[in-house]
Amino acid sequence: MGFTGFGDESFAFYEGLLADNSRSYWAEHKETYERHVRAPMAELCAELEDEFGAAKIFRPYRDVRFSKDKTPYKTHQGAITEQGFYVEIDADGILVAGGMYMPGTEQLHRYRTAVDEDLSGKPLAAIVEGLRDAGLEINGDVLKTRPRGTPPDHPRLELLRHRSLYASAGWPADPWTRTPEVVERVRSSWRTLRPLMDWFDQHVGPSDLVR
């Protein structure tokens, strides 16, 4: 069966989880999660696989070993392709993203080296500006100062300060999110993100999130 949309139950499930992130709530509503969250997410990813490759659907359980927040469940359901295209549903709606999320030490070094060099850095700056112009947000973990050894007047200092860098767009849980229109919205956004993803493929390598 193909993707038909995320129904009211999908968003209501996460509204309930936000109010009661407990094992008892999960046990009582697990069937709702499987049927109205995980299953349609798998169907959505299957619709996009021909163009973007297979996606990994994240587990709903939080890793609380080193966190002060001990709530056991994630309040969203995400999926990511091998190249790093991302889609997520939560109580508020749907989000899409693409970029460099959690780079390792070597990946971050390759990123900053590529940004520093004009031949590779200028194209990234143009891609990021184009994504902003297209209405996407540019996000990521950013240094308050600048990387060691970077001159304060570097033309791409903003990009060099990033320890992660991704672009995203989101939509509220409007009526169209209950329909197959979601497929084309996600597809169109991921196509817009492809120049950024190709740049990271060439200069940084895949994210550890997809391994």
Side-chain angles (χ1 to χ4, degrees), residues 19-207:
D20 181 14
N21 195 322
S22 67
R23 289 179 174 82
S24 59
Y25 175 89
W26 187 267
E28 186 177 346
H29 297 86
K30 185 176 180 180
E31 183 179 351
T32 301
Y33 165 77
E34 295 289 349
R35 181 177 178 183
H36 296 286
V37 176
R38 190 174 183 86
M41 178 62 79
E43 292 163 357
L44 172 62
C45 292
E47 296 273 5
L48 298 162
E49 184 173 350
D50 61 336
E51 184 172 350
F52 300 97
K56 167 187 173 182
I57 299 177
F58 290 107
R59 288 163 54 86
Y61 313 107
R62 296 184 63 249
D63 183 352
V64 300
R65 292 173 297 173
F66 308 107
S67 175
K68 293 181 179 180
D69 180 2
K70 298 301 182 183
T71 51
Y73 304 103
K74 299 173 184 176
T75 55
H76 62 270
Q77 176 64 70
I80 191 169
T81 72
E82 184 175 357
Q83 194 176 5
F85 292 99
Y86 180 77
V87 60
E88 173 185 298
I89 176 177
D90 63 12
D92 295 325
I94 298 171
L95 177 138
V96 293
M100 178 181 70
Y101 305 104
M102 297 175 61
T105 302
E106 289 301 316
Q107 289 174 311
L108 185 57
H109 175 72
R110 290 196 295 270
Y111 166 75
R112 287 185 173 150
T113 298
V115 173
D116 184 50
E117 295 176 358
D118 283 349
L119 191 63
S120 47
K122 286 183 177 180
L124 177 61
I127 289 168
V128 168
E129 189 61 30
L131 292 173
R132 283 198 177 105
D133 290 344
L136 280 77
E137 293 186 11
I138 304 300
N139 313 103
D141 181 24
V142 180
L143 291 170
K144 292 182 179 179
T145 55
R146 62 182 186 271
R148 185 177 301 174
T150 301
D153 60 347
H154 194 289
R156 291 176 294 282
L157 179 59
E158 177 190 354
L159 290 173
L160 286 168
R161 290 172 61 217
H162 276 265
R163 289 182 291 202
S164 61
L165 174 67
Y166 55 94
S168 65
W171 306 283
D174 289 335
W176 68 266
T177 61
R178 279 80 167 166
T179 75
E181 185 180 338
V182 173
V183 175
E184 292 313 312
R185 293 248 191 162
V186 175
R187 187 186 301 276
S188 176
S189 295
W190 282 3
R191 285 174 176 170
T192 301
L193 286 163
R194 187 174 291 283
L196 180 66
M197 307 308 294
D198 289 345
W199 190 93
F200 280 117
D201 259 2
Q202 181 179 355
H203 299 287
V204 178
S207 168

